[in-house]
Amino acid sequence: MRETEEAKAILSDRILSLAESQTIAMAKKARELAAKGYDVINLSFGEPDFQTPQYIKDAAKQAIDEGFTFYTPVPGYPELRQEISKKFKRDNNLDYAPEQIVVSTGAKQSIANAVLCLVNPGDEVIIFSPYWVSYEEIVKLAEGIPVPIMGRLENDYKVTAEQLEKAITSNTKLVMYSSPCNPTGAVFEEEELRAIASVLEKYPQVHVIADEIYEYINFSGKHFSIANIDAIRDRVVTVNGFSKGYAMTGWRVGYLAASREIAAACDKMQSQITSGTCSIAQKAGAAALKGGNASALEMAEAYRRRRDLVLDLMNDIPGFKTYLPNGAFYIFPDVSAYFGKQFEGKTMESAEDLSMFILSDAHVAVVSGEAFGAPQCIRFSFAASDEKLVEAMRRIKNSLAKLQ
Ligand SMILES: Cc1ncc(COP(=O)(O)O)c(C=O)c1O
């Protein structure tokens, strides 16, 4: 967003220094092009293309009919916190009591709550990069100092324990990562997280936000929560939610689990900002968990198939450096081979230029890597139908061939 001079005169430094979400900005540009009549294929979205399963919708309708229309307890209905506690035991072998769980208006709010409760101005927050767009901005809102450390493509973009250790200083307060990762789809293996935890063991002031929102979209079938490691368990905030696994992005319900102290602080923070999450969404969330994760795993299987399809087609595009994303629904190739090439007198200086070229020439919306801390990459979502994915890759290949 480019603020006008008038806006700059009245708005706080806080909001002026905040970046607009790039994924939302790209979606806006794609919509504008579509409104002009172009057939735009949108691979910029960070959401499932599936409907929420019917049994969850039915539970929401029932909640309305049964009169669940009042304010809810700030950290969530006891019933939902109980179900989340059971889920942690069932899926992650984690013992979180309901009192250690805070339900929020999406995992994004859970992350913001935790950062605002843990970070003082000037504290350093290590962010495993490439990272989800909002991490850095939320840290800035808390007046913390984001310290991105970049995973290497050869390691599927995963940051190693050695890299982490080099980045820790006496000012480090927090480490944040997502696994499966947005934007790379990388999944940390248990031994990799154990190595990371061994480093963290040495620095008792350092906390962790483990963002596990894509847990069920995991093609290796093995999800490991770092909170399983006793030595650091009380310093870990585990974030999860319903948006991705249960295709419930619009319902706005997520949660975190943490030590009692941190959970109580997040409850207090939320009580002054949004209060309890929507009553109907919470009832839907409880029903989702009671129904198990079969529908989530079914959707994950579709994403796995599409991952294979896209990867095959992408490997056929000259200059795209790929790897095997083991989870989520994104692939994040290095596209820097195209930097310096030209089309009609315009030079591709960056992933941003290349993304705009792909949108204007191939009519495919993608998100450039700058927003994720990786300016050499572009994020493609494969949460789209096979036909759309095939057509998008065909168009992109043709368009890129025009670059000289
Ligand atoms: C890594 C990651 N964490 C958190 C979120 C936010 O999820 P929610 O919709 O529950 O706020 C997203 C959504 O894109 C995400 O990609």
Side-chain angles (χ1 to χ4, degrees), residues 33-101:
L33 214 57
K36 287 186 191 153
Y38 292 101
D39 167 29
V40 177
I41 300 178
N42 199 337
L43 304 186
S44 74
F45 282 141
E47 68 177 338
D49 59 327
F50 294 107
Q51 276 286 317
T52 303
Q54 190 59 42
Y55 76 98
I56 302 174
K57 291 181 177 177
D58 290 342
K61 290 180 200 159
Q62 196 183 336
I64 297 174
D65 289 341
E66 288 177 356
F68 285 90
T69 59
F70 298 96
Y71 282 131
T72 61
V74 173
Y77 282 133
E79 175 202 17
L80 175 56
R81 292 165 90 201
Q82 186 69 52
E83 286 304 324
I84 294 169
S85 170
K86 282 196 230 161
K87 177 253 172 255
F88 275 122
K89 188 70 195 162
R90 180 192 71 200
D91 295 343
N92 315 107
N93 196 27
L94 286 171
D95 291 302
Y96 282 122
E99 301 73 46
Q100 293 178 269
I101 290 160

Side-chain angles (χ1 to χ4, degrees), residues 46 106-108 111 132 135 178 182 211 213-214 243-244 252-253:
K108 189 182 259 187
I111 294 165
W132 181 47
Y135 291 170
S178 59
N182 176 6
D211 180 350
I213 187 88
Y214 292 95
S243 292
K244 315 292 176 173
R252 310 309 304 129
V253 51

Side-chain angles (χ1 to χ4, degrees), residues 145-382:
I145 301 171
V147 181
I149 46 176
M150 190 59 155
R152 284 184 283 271
L153 174 64
E154 310 77 66
N155 197 34
D156 295 347
Y157 293 113
K158 285 182 278 187
V159 168
T160 62
E162 294 73 38
Q163 286 181 288
L164 171 63
E165 181 135 39
K166 279 200 198 114
I168 293 179
T169 72
S170 55
N171 293 327
T172 306
K173 181 61 192 284
L174 187 62
V175 173
M176 298 171 74
Y177 69 87
S178 59
S179 178
C181 174
N182 176 6
T184 66
V187 176
F188 277 101
E189 305 287 334
E190 176 171 345
E191 59 274 23
E192 291 165 328
L193 289 177
R194 286 199 181 275
I196 282 167
S198 318
V199 171
L200 294 172
E201 252 187 78
K202 295 186 242 169
Y203 303 93
Q205 87 281 10
V206 182
H207 290 67
V208 180
I209 295 181
D211 180 350
E212 303 186 353
I213 187 88
Y214 292 95
E215 174 184 4
Y216 290 147
I217 309 173
N218 180 333
F219 316 129
S220 71
K222 284 179 273 151
H223 177 84
F224 185 74
S225 297
I226 201 167
N228 273 117
I229 300 169
D230 289 341
I232 61 160
R233 187 198 144 110
D234 280 350
R235 292 189 264 140
V236 177
V237 177
T238 307
V239 173
N240 208 324
F242 299 88
S243 292
K244 315 292 176 173
Y246 289 99
M248 290 177 69
T249 47
W251 299 74
R252 310 309 304 129
V253 51
Y255 52 89
L256 63 73
S259 68
R260 284 171 199 268
E261 293 73 23
I262 296 174
C266 291
D267 177 349
K268 182 174 161 192
M269 175 67 65
Q270 186 162 294
S271 76
Q272 295 296 9
I273 299 184
T274 54
S275 295
T277 305
C278 165
S279 53
I280 300 147
Q282 286 197 55
K283 294 296 280 182
L289 291 176
K290 280 183 199 162
N293 56 12
S295 55
L297 297 181
E298 212 173 288
M299 290 186 264
E301 182 50 27
Y303 297 128
R304 192 199 52 73
R305 213 177 26 73
R306 292 163 177 185
R307 187 263 325 250
D308 293 346
L309 175 70
V310 168
L311 194 59
D312 247 16
L313 296 168
M314 207 172 256
N315 283 336
D316 203 32
I317 299 179
F320 274 23
K321 283 190 217 137
T322 61
Y323 57 96
L324 186 71
N326 252 335
F329 35 66
Y330 309 106
I331 180 156
F332 199 57
D334 181 318
V335 296
S336 56
Y338 286 96
F339 296 176
K341 297 202 175 199
Q342 290 195 341
F343 178 67
E344 293 180 346
K346 163 102 179 95
T347 306
M348 301 296 127
E349 310 273 9
S350 60
E352 176 81 43
D353 286 350
L354 201 63
S355 305
M356 287 317 297
F357 170 69
I358 289 173
L359 178 61
S360 60
D361 198 77
H363 301 145
V364 179
V366 292
V367 190
S368 85
E370 279 93 346
F372 305 99
Q376 72 284 18
C377 298
I378 288 182
R379 190 189 77 174
F380 296 77
S381 161
F382 48 83

